[in-house]
Amino acid sequence: MDQAFDALEQQMAQLRQNLRAALARHDATRVGTAHQELRRAEAAWHALVGPASPPPEPASATAPQAPLLSMREQVLRTLEMIGAPAAPKTIRPVHRAIFGTDLSKSMASLRRDEERSYKKTPNARGAYICPALTADRLTSARALLTISTWPLEQRIVTPTSERVDYLTMATRIADVAERAAAQTDAIKRLLHDIALNIPGTGAEMGLISPAAVRACAQNERRTLQDTDQAARHEAAERARRLDPYHQLFGVPA
């Protein structure tokens, strides 16, 4: 099973445990947030699988409409799909290609809303959209968004992290594109655009395959990951000495 499926299925297993624990404690607030987190992870999992059956008939004008995901839920599930810190300019095209809708609201305001919500009632939400942290000073990294439930090592960026995270995303999008049911033109175009920045994929000649993109991305990532992971781990150890708020939103610059 590929890396994206492994990560999402491990996450869903943990979220189901969290949901059961909240039910046992009769914690209605945590039950609600845990359920939302599980739904979001399941949506990302189904996006990898692709539709297993023909799409349903269009709903009539009088039929009740399914509730739309909020902006923050859409950003959260797209970050889960990418699996690494990402900027809005990356999140938007990935979301559009995989989930078929545009993200209209400013993610800068969304990030500020998340921080205000945490300050007002810490841990009221199961997950927060928060900035990546710089490895040197543990300040918030400009424009890079992460999910609060990720390990610190995954939320920290080093000088080599931009490339490592790009290759992580490339591997995950290749997994999506490889699923026959999920090979829409939008996903193919997204994979092609990503592959143009990875040597050896053949994308510059129009020869693109998910397997080639994955192999090239993984090979390059292996040459960088030891140094990158060591730097992230060292920074994460320093970050664990901070209070929970600064672990999520960074120390003042």
Side-chain angles (χ1 to χ4, degrees), residues 66-67 114 142 171 212 220 248 253:
E114 294 288 284
R142 185 174 180 272
T171 300
E220 183 180 347
L248 294 182

Side-chain angles (χ1 to χ4, degrees), residues 84-85 133-136 144 153 156-168 220-233:
L133 303 181
T134 60
D136 55 352
L144 288 176
E153 285 82 355
I156 285 173
V157 290
T158 74
T160 56
S161 293
E162 181 178 3
R163 186 60 180 171
V164 170
D165 291 341
Y166 186 88
L167 297 168
T168 296
E220 183 180 347
R221 192 176 186 276
R222 277 192 286 270
T223 67
L224 301 171
Q225 66 183 4
D226 287 349
T227 299
D228 183 65
Q229 285 299 317
R232 289 192 199 216
H233 179 73

Side-chain angles (χ1 to χ4, degrees), residues 40-41 43-44 69-96 99 101-111 114 127-131 143-148 150:
R40 185 169 61 246
L69 287 175
S70 67
M71 170 73 169
R72 72 180 301 273
E73 287 295 321
Q74 294 179 75
V75 173
L76 283 166
R77 74 174 182 175
T78 305
L79 283 168
E80 292 285 12
M81 181 66 65
I82 293 170
K89 66 180 181 180
T90 298
I91 294 170
R92 290 182 187 279
V94 171
H95 185 276
R96 186 184 306 116
F99 298 109
T101 57
D102 289 323
L103 295 171
S104 56
K105 185 179 177 182
S106 166
M107 289 182 218
S109 63
L110 179 63
R111 184 172 123 175
E114 294 288 284
Y128 290 85
I129 297 167
C130 55
L144 288 176
L145 301 180
T146 71
I147 301 177
S148 61
W150 288 354

